[in-house]
Amino acid sequence: MSVIHLLQADLELTGPASVAAPETVSIGSALLPSLPLARDAWGNPHLPGSALAGGLRAHAHPDRRRALFGDPGQDDGGPSHTRAVASTIRVLGTRLTLPDTGGTPRIRHHTAIDPHRAAAAASTLHSRELLPPHTRLAFWLRIDTDAAGSPLVPEVVDLLRTWRPRIGGGRTTGLGRAELVAVRHRVIDLTTPEGLRHWLTQGGPGLVDEHAVLIHDRSRTTGTPPDEPLLFDPAPRFALADSLHIGAGHTLERSGKSTDIAQVLRDHAGTPLVPGSTWKGVLRSRVAFILRSTGAATVCGPETGAATGGCGACEVCRAFGWSGGAGGAGDALGARGLLVFTDSPLADARVRVRHHVPLDRVFGGARDGLLHSEEVVEDGRLTLHIRLTAGHRKGSEPSPVVRACLVLALIDLAEGRIGLGRGTTRGNGTLTATEPTAAWLAARRDAAVHTLRTTVASRGLPGDAAPYAGPGSPKESGHQEVTA
C-alpha cells in the first residue's frame, strides 16, 4: 500500500442535533442537563468518529460492508466461524464548528404525561443539550491503495454523495438531520519524493488543507439524496383554533415584578414550534387508546404490568419505539421506532402574555401572591411531517392497523378531541385542519375504520367492539413539553 488517499467530508446540520455524553454527569451535577453534549478537553462540542463510521457503514450495501468497513469476526466453534477483518476505511478525526450567526447550544426539556391523570408523570423530567442548525462538521477518511487510480476511492465518494447522515440521538423526534456539503480529495504517493516529504513533514488537517481537490460541492450538484419517505403525503397541515403553550422549561424575569413569565418553546431562530417529541407522545398515546378501546390489538400499559419504557412487543412499541426496562421483550436495551416526527415551526405566529390567578374558594376573590404569567402562541399555522425510517431494518413500515389508527388520531386532533401542550382543558392547544387536510382525512376515515373492524374480526372479538368515531368528551391529553 504505497498510495494514501485522504478524503475530507464537510457536513451541515439542517436542524438541531443531540450528540450526548451522559457519562459526563457526575454526583453533585443535578443542575446540568441530563443529556449534555459531548465535549473535548477544551470544552468544545465534539463528535466521535465512530458515530459517523457506523452511520456510513449502515448506508453501504450489505454485500460491501465487510470489504469497506471490516468485520469483528465470530468464533463460536461452529460452521458460522468468521475471521476478523480490519476496516479498509479509517476515520481519522472530526471537527465541529458552530455557525457564524452566533448560534449556541441550547437545552430542551421534556416530560412524559400520565395517560390516566392527564398531567406530568412523576420522575420523567429530562433534558437534552442541542447543537444549533447550520453547525458544520468536518471529518477525515483515509484509504490506502496500491495505485492512485484505485476504484475503491470513487466507490467511497459515491457512498458519501448518496448518504443522508443522521447524527446523535433523538432521531425519531427529528434531531440530527444533516446534509453533505463538500468532499475534498488528497493523494499522497509515498513512492515519490514530494509525497514522502509531505507525509513526513505535515500532520493533522495540514495533510489535506490547501492541497486537496474539491470533488463534490452541494451548490454545484443537481439533486440531493432522497429524504426518508413521508408516511402521509402530502403532509397534514393545521392552524391554531385558540392558543398554544408548549413550555421551554424556563421563565423570563421581569424587573420590578414579583412574578416571571413562563416562556414558550422556540427554535434557534426564535420561532415558536411544536417539537417532534410532542407529536410523537400525543399520537402514540392516542393510537394506544384506539387500539385498546376497540380491542384491535393488545397494547402495553400500566394495566398490563409492562415497564414504563414499553414492552417492546406490542404494535405501538414496534411503531413508536421503546426505551427498555424490566419486563420488555428480548433484552432491556429498547429499540428505535419506525416513525420519525420532526419539529413543526409555527408560521405567522403571534406571541402574547396571559396572566392567571386562582380564586379563593372561601371568599370568592383572587388569592394573594399566586399571580402567574405565561406566553401563548396565537394565529399560527404548522405542518406535521411523519417519516419512515426506511432501510434501517427489515419490516420498516408500521402495520396497517397502526397506520389506520394514526389517521383516526389525526381526525381526533382536527376535531378538537385531543390537544397539544399545556392547559388543554381550559382553552389551549386546539388545532383545526386546513381545507385540503380536512378533505384528505374525511376521504380516509371509512377505510381506517374498516381496517379496525377487519383486525378485530380476525382476533375473534365481538363485532361491536370495532367501530371508533372518537369520544364526545372534551380534549384529552397525551405527551407534551415540560412547562414552567
Side-chain angles (χ1 to χ4, degrees):
M1 301 292 182
S2 57
V3 179
I4 298 175
H5 300 266
L6 297 176
L7 296 174
Q8 177 184 337
D10 296 326
L11 306 178
E12 181 180 3
L13 294 180
T14 58
S18 171
V19 184
E23 66 277 3
T24 62
V25 179
S26 58
I27 298 176
S29 59
L31 297 179
L32 293 176
S34 55
L35 289 176
L37 286 173
R39 298 180 182 273
D40 58 21
W42 295 269
N44 300 314
H46 171 69
L47 177 68
S50 57
L52 295 172
L56 196 58
R57 186 182 193 278
H59 173 63
H61 192 278
D63 295 339
R64 293 293 297 163
R65 289 174 184 170
R66 179 180 173 87
L68 293 176
F69 296 94
D71 192 330
Q74 182 178 359
D75 187 6
D76 57 2
S80 60
H81 171 76
T82 56
R83 297 180 59 185
V85 177
S87 174
T88 303
I89 302 174
R90 308 183 194 181
V91 180
L92 301 181
T94 64
R95 180 173 59 196
L96 275 171
T97 305
L98 296 177
D100 296 332
T101 55
T104 58
R106 289 190 177 184
I107 297 174
R108 184 180 293 186
H109 302 276
H110 309 260
T111 184
I113 295 299
D114 188 311
H116 298 288
R117 298 187 301 110
S123 303
T124 60
L125 176 64
H126 59 285
S127 58
R128 289 181 183 270
E129 190 176 13
L130 303 179
L131 288 169
H134 307 297
T135 296
R136 288 292 185 104
L137 169 64
F139 68 101
W140 290 265
L141 305 175
R142 172 180 169 179
I143 306 172
D144 295 349
T145 64
D146 294 325
S150 172
L152 189 61
V153 176
E155 180 182 1
V156 175
V157 173
D158 288 339
L159 189 65
L160 289 169
R161 286 172 176 166
T162 58
W163 186 31
R164 272 281 185 178
R166 298 294 178 257
I167 298 170
R171 300 185 189 185
T172 58
T173 55
L175 300 181
R177 306 173 72 82
E179 290 183 355
L180 182 70
V181 176
V183 178
R184 295 174 174 83
H185 180 210
R186 166 67 171 165
V187 181
I188 303 177
D189 190 346
L190 300 182
T191 62
T192 64
E194 294 80 6
L196 188 59
R197 183 183 304 108
H198 184 72
W199 179 252
L200 294 176
T201 58
Q202 298 293 327
L207 289 169
V208 181
D209 295 349
E210 300 180 0
H211 299 281
V213 177
L214 182 66
I215 58 176
H216 173 76
D217 187 354
R218 180 178 60 181
S219 62
R220 303 177 186 176
T221 304
T222 58
T224 58
D227 209 339
E228 296 97 340
L230 287 168
L231 180 68
F232 300 127
D233 193 9
R237 298 177 180 272
F238 300 92
L240 292 183
D242 41 41
S243 57
L244 175 69
H245 178 88
I246 296 180
H250 51 79
T251 59
L252 177 65
E253 296 184 0
R254 298 189 295 171
S255 59
K257 303 292 183 179
S258 59
T259 58
D260 299 332
I261 301 174
Q263 293 184 287
V264 297
L265 182 67
R266 291 176 168 86
D267 60 16
H268 285 78
T271 303
L273 80 156
V274 176
S277 57
T278 291
W279 287 121
K280 182 179 178 180
V282 168
L283 294 178
R284 177 184 184 131
S285 176
R286 197 60 177 179
V287 167
F289 170 78
I290 296 172
L291 290 173
R292 189 181 297 113
S293 61
T294 60
T298 301
V299 180
C300 67
E303 65 280 356
T304 63
T308 304
C311 67
C314 68
E315 293 284 358
V316 174
C317 286
R318 283 196 291 266
F320 291 86
W322 64 293
S323 58
D331 57 42
L333 298 179
R336 185 178 298 160
L338 303 175
L339 302 174
V340 177
F341 299 84
T342 58
D343 294 345
S344 298
L346 284 150
D348 301 327
R350 182 179 62 180
V351 179
R352 58 171 296 184
V353 177
R354 288 185 177 178
H355 306 281
H356 307 270
V357 64
L359 296 179
D360 191 303
R361 297 185 181 182
V362 177
F363 300 101
R367 296 186 63 180
D368 292 336
L370 293 181
L371 174 68
H372 59 281
S373 307
E374 64 182 14
E375 291 182 333
V376 294
V377 184
E378 298 178 346
D379 302 330
R381 296 177 290 104
L382 68 163
T383 304
L384 169 59
H385 292 97
I386 306 177
R387 297 185 179 274
L388 297 169
T389 55
H392 77 276
R393 66 176 181 267
K394 184 179 180 181
S396 57
E397 291 195 16
S399 64
V401 69
V402 170
R403 186 188 291 261
C405 289
L406 276 169
V407 171
L408 295 174
L410 292 177
I411 292 173
D412 288 344
L413 187 68
E415 295 181 353
R417 295 192 181 96
I418 55 176
L420 300 179
R422 179 182 181 181
T424 58
T425 59
R426 52 184 173 87
N428 284 347
T430 306
L431 302 185
T432 181
T434 62
E435 290 187 6
T437 297
W440 182 89
L441 292 172
R444 284 158 177 78
R445 181 196 294 263
D446 291 343
V449 173
H450 176 72
T451 300
L452 281 179
R453 289 182 181 273
T454 303
T455 305
V456 171
S458 66
R459 301 187 68 199
L461 298 177
D464 59 356
Y468 176 80
S473 59
K475 287 177 293 185
E476 302 169 22
S477 186
H479 180 285
Q480 64 182 18
E481 295 293 304
V482 66
T483 55

